[in-house]
């Protein structure tokens, strides 16, 4: 299993992605809660092993891990922007089911000397040789055979660690950037003081309340089952790259649609495929989507509907590749906006003093060499493969 290839997929996703500016924010106090569930089918018990790996590596929960989860488990990011007291710490009372105690502390981010602030220009290493030229071959759609006009091909050269595309490169889908542009004005969880990761059985359901300098006195809200962590996305595969692969999954309660992206190498060629039925859709869709855009793309079959249960990767897509593709899949959950209730005696110029946005997703990744192991996860060979991958991720 080549860990560098996983890093390549993640950084290449950034290199090929495009986003729009964050939407305007009006309320004096805004709270953002993102939750994600991540699994790597075929790796039994990795929730506990992942926490052990983090402890062994000296790593603690960090803000931003919901966007691109690593080890299997549940993740939560909380960001508060209080314009009345920007950057001032706050306390959020949380329900018992979250298993993080009775409250969490929202604190400013401590930026390390080498931190880049989450740059999306792919200036870091892609895991590809600098100065090297690569050809991108892209396929799309579920089925036994590829449609006409496939694959689309273009070239990419790595210069000073940055990708330079040549030819008629595919344009990424315009996915609006909804995450807050975190800066000194925000306080966050997780933060340097957070020593506990989110449990695999954690739940957001219940009452939440924020307290702190400059916060509205009654910033209290309740979250229900529809706002909670999505269940695990149980993805399985059969077949082979040379003969075509069939992907199957159990329905995720609360999912509003699905999207799959796969990637493999063939010498100096990178082969990509997605489940989109209406042309190119890349790794930029492996993230939260606005509900309006999700509805639009489901209608156009860019995104698989909530009733989808399987997808066949055409034989031509990965025939002749050096290794099985890495497959990533996402189940899109709900997005909910909550605002301060309007008082009965409010005037015409009244506006809410606070808003809360909650969104969820569930993702899965089939690692090359482990696809198809889901049903046999309890077998010794599968367990040993999981341990080997864990050692690789830890660099041991």
């Amino acid at each position: 299993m080549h860990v560098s290839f996983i890093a390549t997929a993640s950084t290449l996703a950034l290199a090929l992605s495009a986003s729009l500016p964050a939407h305007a924010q009006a309320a004096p106090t805004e709270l953002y809660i993102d939750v994600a569930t991540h699994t790597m089918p075929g790796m039994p018990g990795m929730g506990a092993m992942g926490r052990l790996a983090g402890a062994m590596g000296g790593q603690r929960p960090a803000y931003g891990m919901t966007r691109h989860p690593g080890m299997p488990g549940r993740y939560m990011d909380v960001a508060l922007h209080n314009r009345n007291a920007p950057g001032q710490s706050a306390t959020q009372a949380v329900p018992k089911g979250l298993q993080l105690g009775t409250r969490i502390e929202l604190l400013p981010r401590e930026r390390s000397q080498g931190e880049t602030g989450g740059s999306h220009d792919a200036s870091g290493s892609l895991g590809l040789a600098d100065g090297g030229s690569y050809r991108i071959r892209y396929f799309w759609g579920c089925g036994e055979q590829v449609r006409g006009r496939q694959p689309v091909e273009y070239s990419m050269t790595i210069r000073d660690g940055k990708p330079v595309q040549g030819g008629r490169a595919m344009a990424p889908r315009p996915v609006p950037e909804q995450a807050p542009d975190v800066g000194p004005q925000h306080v966050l969880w997780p933060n340097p003081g957070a020593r506990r990761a989110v449990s695999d059985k954690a739940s957001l359901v219940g009452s939440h309340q924020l307290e702190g300098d400059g916060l509205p006195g009654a910033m209290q809200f309740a979250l229900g089952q529809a706002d909670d962590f999505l269940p695990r996305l149980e993805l399985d595969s059969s077949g082979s790259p040379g003969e075509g692969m069939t992907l199957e999954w159990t329905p995720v309660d609360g999912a509003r649609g699905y999207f799959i992206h796969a990637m493999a190498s063939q010498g100096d060629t990178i082969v990509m495929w997605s489940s989109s039925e209406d042309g190119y859709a890349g790794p930029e869709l492996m993230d939260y989507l606005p509900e309006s855009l999700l509805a639009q793309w489901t209608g156009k079959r860019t995104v698989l509907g909530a009733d989808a249960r399987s997808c066949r990767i055409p034989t031509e897509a990965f025939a002749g590749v050096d290794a099985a593709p890495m497959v990533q899949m996402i189940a899109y959950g709900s997005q909910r906006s909550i605002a301060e209730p309007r008082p009965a005696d409010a005037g015409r110029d009244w506006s809410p003093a606070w808003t809360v946005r909650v969104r969820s997703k569930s993702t899965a990744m089939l690692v090359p060499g482990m696809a198809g192991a889901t049903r046999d996860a309890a077998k010794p060979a599968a367990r040993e493969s999981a341990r080997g991958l864990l050692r690789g991720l830890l660099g041991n």
Side-chain angles (χ1 to χ4, degrees), residues 10 13 37-38 44 50 110 122 124 183 193-194 215 238 279 281 291 335 337 339 383 385:
S10 299
T37 305
H38 183 57
E110 290 185 5
L215 287 174
S238 59
E291 290 197 349
Q335 293 195 20
S337 294
R383 287 198 299 270
S385 296

Side-chain angles (χ1 to χ4, degrees), residues 145-272:
Q145 305 296 326
V146 299
R147 277 71 159 178
R149 298 174 287 111
Q150 296 189 40
V152 172
E153 298 190 16
Y154 59 95
S155 62
M156 179 181 70
T157 302
I158 307 301
R159 297 177 183 170
D160 298 327
K162 297 182 179 181
V164 179
Q165 297 182 8
R168 300 184 61 182
M170 306 298 290
R173 300 271 177 157
V175 179
E177 177 59 76
Q178 291 186 297
D181 185 11
V182 171
Q185 71 275 20
H186 290 84
V187 288
L188 313 170
W189 191 95
N191 50 60
R195 298 179 179 275
R196 299 174 62 181
V198 176
S199 165
D200 290 342
K201 298 181 180 180
S203 173
L204 287 169
V205 175
S207 178
H208 299 247
Q209 183 171 359
L210 269 75
E211 297 179 350
D213 293 341
L215 287 174
M219 190 171 176
Q220 184 172 359
F221 57 96
L223 298 181
Q225 192 65 44
D227 310 309
D228 207 4
F229 295 89
L230 289 181
R232 290 163 51 96
L233 177 52
E234 300 291 355
L235 175 63
D236 196 11
S237 70
S238 59
S240 66
E243 299 176 354
M245 297 173 60
T246 298
L247 303 173
E248 298 178 296
W249 58 93
T250 54
V252 174
D253 291 341
R256 303 192 176 202
Y258 303 93
F259 176 74
I260 312 170
H261 188 270
M263 188 175 178
S265 64
Q266 184 178 353
D268 291 337
T269 298
I270 297 174
V271 183
M272 296 192 295

